Amino acid sequence: MTEPATRPPADPDASPSLPGRAREFRFERHHFDRIARLLHQLAGIALAAHKVEMVYARLARRLRDLRLPDFDAYCALLDSEEGAGEIGFLVNALTTNLTSFYRESHHFDFLERTVLPELRARHAGVPKPRLRVWSAGCSSGPEPYSIAMVLASTLGADLRRWDARILATDIDTHMVDTARRGVYAADGASGIPPAIRARYTQPATLNGEPAIAMSEDLKRLITVKPLNLLERWPMSGPFDAIFCRNVLIYFDRQGRTQVIESFSRLLASGGYLFLGHSESLYGVSNSFRQAGPTIYQKV
């Protein structure tokens, strides 16, 4: 999840509609506010008023699919018992999933050159050392597969000695399904180093186009689950590293603080938290020290 957002403005007279824009369905301020409040309640995602055209475009397609006459009918559906199943579609439609392999590559360099050597030194002589990494907000999966490729290529044959697991979670169930399949358009895999790509992926097709499929060795390292970060987390940790990049920008201050405090509790002593390029812990938490650009270590 990527695009920054803020709470809808409190001014009741401000209109989110763009003037002179012809629409198939009538979409007024109260429709936008109702949907924005619901999304914030469900997922902690705060929709800014400038997102009105994005909201309309994505939900207009849904109205056509459901054969609904207008947004009054759609909001009524969301409020009804019969609309409980629509909530997942709403969240999936309004969460933006932009990701790529080895995105913000300095994070993966740090994982390879700092985190893994520290863990190897700490667990020297341990017959089955434990290694846990969480990709929180994994989108369609390039992030956890990039983590898996770093683990596999850095630890090599020694990886078999480790009890190593990667947890990948996202609120968007469509993205979770894509991550589980592990098949991606070939032109989206340019960020994978050629030698790594040759070793850990196979040629495939996706919708009739050239694609790559992640190897079974990588898939065995990863468990993919749906998870709302503002609801109760079933896992107990501890994690050696948590990647939560370009997710916190969706939350208000209270939501960010809640999630960061929970990350701190689940991280092992000295564990690392990786954030997105526009995110910071400044004024949010005193539980971490900065270890690099958007890289924080639990203190």
Side-chain angles (χ1 to χ4, degrees):
M1 301 196 304
T2 52
E3 294 188 5
T6 56
R7 282 183 181 275
D11 178 8
D13 297 321
S15 171
S17 300
L18 296 179
R21 185 70 175 259
R23 291 197 176 103
E24 178 182 357
F25 303 102
R26 181 173 54 86
F27 188 55
E28 298 182 352
R29 175 59 184 262
H30 66 91
H31 298 130
F32 179 85
D33 286 349
R34 171 72 186 100
I35 290 164
R37 282 195 300 270
L38 183 58
L39 193 65
H40 189 268
Q41 291 165 8
L42 292 169
I45 295 172
L47 281 175
H50 72 267
K51 299 288 185 181
V52 61
E53 290 301 328
M54 180 273 285
V55 172
Y56 175 82
R58 296 186 182 186
L59 293 183
R61 293 195 293 266
R62 189 63 183 156
L63 264 65
R64 294 185 205 106
D65 291 342
L66 295 172
R67 300 183 183 277
L68 293 175
D70 51 38
F71 274 90
D72 287 336
Y74 187 69
C75 288
L77 173 64
L78 293 173
D79 290 335
S80 70
E81 291 184 9
E82 295 79 11
E86 181 60 23
I87 298 301
F89 287 101
L90 176 73
V91 173
N92 289 347
L94 297 183
T95 52
T96 301
N97 295 280
L98 176 62
T99 186
S100 59
F101 291 96
Y102 287 81
R103 186 182 187 193
E104 298 181 50
S105 60
H106 67 284
H107 286 164
F108 300 99
D109 293 340
F110 190 89
L111 179 63
E112 175 186 350
R113 298 171 186 173
T114 301
V115 179
L116 294 180
E118 285 182 1
L119 290 173
R120 281 180 126 165
R122 188 181 308 158
H123 298 304
V126 177
K128 193 72 172 176
R130 184 180 185 276
L131 170 57
R132 293 293 187 273
V133 182
W134 180 14
S135 169
C138 68
S139 188
S140 57
E143 180 175 274
Y145 284 112
S146 297
I147 295 169
M149 285 185 271
V150 171
L151 265 58
S153 60
T154 304
L155 297 177
D158 193 43
L159 181 59
R160 291 192 292 268
R161 184 175 67 89
W162 289 72
D163 172 19
R165 298 294 303 169
I166 300 165
L167 174 64
T169 65
D170 199 273
I171 193 173
D172 187 331
T173 53
H174 295 161
M175 294 297 102
V176 167
D177 291 341
T178 300
R180 284 178 179 150
R181 288 192 295 270
V183 179
Y184 303 94
D187 59 6
S190 60
I192 305 176
I196 301 295
R197 178 174 174 174
R199 184 171 183 180
Y200 295 108
T201 73
Q202 294 88 37
T205 58
L206 182 65
N207 300 322
E209 298 294 329
I212 59 165
M214 298 294 109
S215 72
E216 292 303 316
D217 286 342
L218 295 184
K219 288 184 178 180
R220 278 192 287 269
L221 287 173
I222 302 170
T223 300
V224 189
K225 298 283 188 181
L227 181 70
N228 183 337
L229 288 176
L230 293 184
E231 294 181 351
R232 183 179 178 274
W233 300 353
M235 56 281 199
S236 57
F239 290 95
D240 300 291
I242 295 175
F243 285 67
C244 185
R245 306 186 303 167
N246 306 307
V247 176
L248 297 179
I249 50 177
Y250 274 101
F251 300 156
D252 60 16
R253 185 179 182 85
Q254 179 181 352
R256 287 195 297 271
T257 300
Q258 174 185 328
V259 170
I260 292 299
E261 288 177 351
S262 298
F263 283 157
S264 178
R265 288 193 293 271
L266 286 187
L267 273 170
S269 178
Y272 291 92
L273 174 64
F274 297 82
L275 300 182
H277 67 275
S278 63
E279 297 169 322
S280 168
L281 294 186
Y282 179 77
V284 177
S285 174
N286 295 319
S287 299
F288 297 85
R289 72 168 187 89
Q290 189 152 11
T294 58
I295 303 170
Y296 298 86
Q297 186 176 29
K298 180 179 175 179
V299 298

